[in-house]
Amino acid sequence: MGPLFPQGHITVCENLIIAYLIGIVFGAMLEAAGFTNTRKLVGVFYGYDMTVLKVFFTAALTGAIGLFLMHHYGIIDLTKVYYPKTYWLPTLIGGLIMALGFLAGGFCPGTSVCAATTGKIDGITFVIGVFIGIYFYSFTYELIFEKLRNSTAMGEVNVADWLGIKQGVFLLIMTVVAIASFIIGTYIQKKINQKQSKEDLEELGLN
Amino acid sequence: MKKLDIVIMAIMLIGAIWAAFLPNVKPHLHYLSAKELLYEINKNEHYISVDDVAKAIMTNDKFTILIDVRDPKQYQEFTLPGALNIPKDSILLPKYRYLLNSDIYRLVLFSNGTSLADMAWLIATDAGFKNLYVMQGGLNAWFTKILMPQPPKPWAKKEEFEKYQFRKAAAFYFTGGEVKETKPKQIKITVPVKKKEVGGGCE
Amino acid sequence: MKQWKNKYLNPYLAGFIIGLALIAAYYFSGEGLGSSGAYKRIVIASVDAVAPHYAEKAAYFKPYVHQDGGPLKTFLVFELLGLITGAILSAAIFGRLEWKIGKGPKVKNKTRLIAALIGGFLWGIGTQLGRGCTSGLVMSGMAVNSLSGYIGLIAIFGGGYLFAYFFRKLWL
């Protein structure tokens, strides 16, 4: 029964090799979906390319539904996996900062690495920027950020429990919301791109 | 929409509907076997003296948490400074699980005597919680030894005199010379949650 | 391969496969996918190599420096290596392995690169404060129904829509 590594069913080395293999799949899919192209990434916020929406929600919900079902049928024990702790304020503020970073930089840390290593110079610059940001944060941590980052701890909080609804029902609601957003998003994208030039759509692979 | 798109969305939807009928994922308590429990009891290492508790309070020990396991009415009337109230019958409630599931804190249970705290200790230890201690003698011992310490007999050992000096200081600390009512403070403890053996995430 | 340069994989299929990878990560390693965590450990390892005494004491670095095998011997770092490998493989197949600067149509190269640098800097700060990035905080968080993941989702995507207007010159 999973998870294998925390229960000692696989060794540290095996775990790292598996990490590498899973990373290959992740990286290949990100590149294949077009996320080394910064214009495709940012398109979700302007309506002309909703690929991010489709990939992201499909991935997150496939994972969530799959894990939930697997737990029920004894394939994995979800009480033994790493569960993130919720610190709502620093996460909220951090998220807003990341949003600004997304709009300015056109990437997120994972996609930027994919872009950087496939020749995109803006990706390389972005990656350098991330490192500078983390170095800056780490050296000013005790002075500026420590208090905020450790504030508003809520422990491990399951969003469905927190809302007071069954976890499976929550997943169903999110799936319906996601599918609705796919349909609406596709429609908006079509409408906005009616006035776009053919070459532009070629470049984004949207025609 | 292409056919593949619809197929994938359908798979997600069916999976989600299926999930909606299934029960929640719950963190479970890890119950000890009778043998394991007996072993824990016989270790007899879970008692802590009132002197140690006094010391922890006076030195502002951030890693010791005092838990009053009596009912709320008794807790309101008097309790140890900084103590939280978890009545023995509520000790297995999910809302206290974070607090009790600690790797870093030393959790000291106390009651009027020792038996109620011992019961609470048994229940919680059986459910798999660790780092739990019982203040030996309870609040009765607290009163007689700390708040109103008796001087040792003249022929007593040196350690008895040292202990007496400590208790006199403690008595003064806790009563400030007069009998002060220790009101239970509404302490909001941000408990860092139990460190899981599984590391991970982008923390 | 030239004619595949602008052909992309069906987004739902790509998402579905990433979802399977996410499940595999939890199944085998007990943790989800992530990116910023690997960056963080590279930073920590570098500071530890250059100034170990500082790293031992400073609050940011302390919890990671005395780890078994060093801060780099973790799932996330090896996943990052795989990420690079996978991206190069896919780009090679599709014919997208080329030097290029991606940018909006009305923007000069220099502007784009400066903006990318600033954007990266913001992500550096944001991921450390928020405890993750889109994959680690949000996607992996949503996979276990964690509230933190959903707060991240609303903050990043909501924030993106909120601020998009002010950055439109860069992209439209």
Side-chain angles (χ1 to χ4, degrees), chain A residues 22 25 58-59 62-63 66, chain C residues 14-26 33:
Chain A
I22 292 180
V25 173
T58 305
T62 303
Chain C
F16 191 77
I17 295 177
I18 295 178
L20 296 179
L22 190 53
I23 293 175
Y26 272 109
L33 301 172

Side-chain angles (χ1 to χ4, degrees), chain A residues 7 9-10 14 32 36 54 56 59 63 76-77 83 96 108 129-130 152 181 186:
Chain A
Q7 297 178 109
H9 296 322
I10 58 177
E14 289 168 336
T36 51
K54 299 171 186 173
F56 190 87
I76 190 176
D77 183 353
Y83 201 95
L96 291 172
C108 79
V130 178
T152 65
S181 74
T186 307

Side-chain angles (χ1 to χ4, degrees), chain A residues 37 39 193 195-207, chain C residues 6:
Chain A
N37 181 337
R39 285 197 68 214
N193 284 339
K195 311 177 211 137
Q196 287 293 63
S197 67
K198 250 201 144 193
E199 300 87 49
D200 199 49
L201 293 181
E202 257 298 327
E203 207 234 325
L204 292 174
L206 291 179
N207 47 356
Chain C
N6 289 324

Side-chain angles (χ1 to χ4, degrees), chain A:
Chain A
M1 177 178 350
L4 301 185
F5 181 61
Q7 297 178 109
H9 296 322
I10 58 177
T11 66
V12 174
C13 277
E14 289 168 336
N15 186 40
L16 297 179
I17 293 176
I18 290 175
Y20 180 69
L21 297 174
I22 292 180
I24 294 182
V25 173
F26 191 21
M29 289 301 107
L30 286 180
E31 205 288 331
F35 290 161
T36 51
N37 181 337
T38 178
R39 285 197 68 214
K40 277 185 83 69
L41 278 173
V42 184
V44 69
F45 294 117
Y46 296 99
Y48 64 80
D49 189 331
M50 301 307 267
T51 309
V52 166
L53 182 75
K54 299 171 186 173
V55 175
F56 190 87
F57 265 123
T58 305
L61 289 173
T62 303
I65 296 171
L67 286 172
F68 189 77
L69 294 175
M70 282 167 70
H71 174 89
H72 180 79
Y73 291 103
I75 306 177
I76 190 176
D77 183 353
L78 281 182
T79 63
K80 296 209 163 79
V81 305
Y82 168 76
Y83 201 95
K85 299 161 204 154
T86 302
Y87 296 75
W88 68 265
L89 189 60
T91 298
L92 185 65
I93 296 180
L96 291 172
I97 296 178
M98 290 191 256
L100 291 170
F102 209 144
L103 293 167
F107 283 115
C108 79
T111 52
S112 62
V113 164
C114 295
T117 54
T118 56
K120 314 294 179 290
I121 303 178
D122 49 330
I124 298 175
T125 324
F126 186 95
V127 171
I128 295 176
V130 178
F131 275 116
I132 298 179
I134 299 184
Y135 277 113
F136 174 79
Y137 178 94
S138 68
F139 294 134
T140 59
Y141 179 59
E142 286 162 49
L143 202 62
I144 307 180
F145 298 103
E146 190 166 14
K147 250 212 185 110
L148 175 60
R149 181 171 142 115
N150 290 328
S151 68
T152 65
M154 292 170 76
E156 298 175 4
V157 184
N158 183 308
V159 63
D161 295 348
W162 187 71
L163 291 171
I165 57 183
K166 271 180 70 184
Q167 294 166 8
V169 172
F170 177 76
L171 286 177
L172 180 57
I173 295 175
M174 281 311 301
T175 306
V176 169
V177 167
I179 293 181
S181 74
F182 296 157
I183 298 174
I184 298 175
T186 307
Y187 177 75
I188 293 179
Q189 184 181 300
K190 237 192 216 129
K191 269 268 159 347
I192 290 190
N193 284 339
Q194 268 171 0
K195 311 177 211 137
Q196 287 293 63
S197 67
K198 250 201 144 193
E199 300 87 49
D200 199 49
L201 293 181
E202 257 298 327
E203 207 234 325
L204 292 174
L206 291 179
N207 47 356

Side-chain angles (χ1 to χ4, degrees), chain A residues 134 137-139 141-142, chain C residues 40 43-44 55 57-64 128:
Chain A
I134 299 184
Y137 178 94
S138 68
F139 294 134
Y141 179 59
E142 286 162 49
Chain C
K40 170 177 181 162
V43 166
I44 290 174
K57 306 241 173 49
Y60 179 85
F61 301 92
K62 208 157 95 161
Y64 301 92
Q128 299 309 298

